[in-house]
Amino acid sequence: MVDCWWHNLGPDLRALWESGDLEAFEGYIEQGLRQDPALAAMWGWRAKPSGIDAPFDLLTEVAQYDLTPVVNLPGLKAEASVLCASGDAGGCPASTLAGGGVA
């Protein structure tokens, strides 16, 4: 599941999250959400079931759910990255943060 979230955020933000720099990561995410109301609405909708408001904490929680063993079952034709790219996996449209956005 986390791959779908990362598809929208880009490799630079993922690296920042993996570094554990909570303050910098949250700052970039919050800046992007302020600049793009549609992205903020999508983020809020996707985050709501978790009950977690902080982006860093949310992605840490989502990272615990790995669907790779299910998606890669023999005979299953769709890959998670294809589902995310098409927007068919629970709302994974491309976002303004897709380029990585960390400057």
Side-chain angles (χ1 to χ4, degrees):
M1 285 175 58
V2 76
D3 288 341
C4 190
W5 287 78
W6 289 125
H7 171 78
N8 291 311
L9 297 177
D12 292 343
L13 283 172
R14 183 174 188 154
L16 188 58
W17 173 78
E18 289 173 348
S19 78
D21 188 343
L22 171 70
E23 188 175 320
F25 180 82
E26 296 268 334
Y28 282 113
I29 294 291
E30 295 301 326
Q31 178 183 5
L33 296 177
R34 279 192 307 271
Q35 292 175 358
D36 186 340
L39 176 63
M42 188 263 303
W43 183 278
W45 178 79
R46 294 195 68 212
K48 188 174 183 174
S50 72
I52 301 171
D53 293 327
F56 188 92
D57 294 340
L58 175 62
L59 290 170
T60 299
E61 178 68 22
V62 171
Q64 296 182 41
Y65 300 96
D66 183 3
L67 299 179
T68 304
V70 176
V71 172
N72 292 328
L73 288 174
L76 187 62
K77 300 194 186 311
E79 295 181 13
S81 60
V82 172
L83 290 173
C84 288
S86 70
D88 293 335
C92 296
S95 76
T96 57
L97 298 177
V102 176

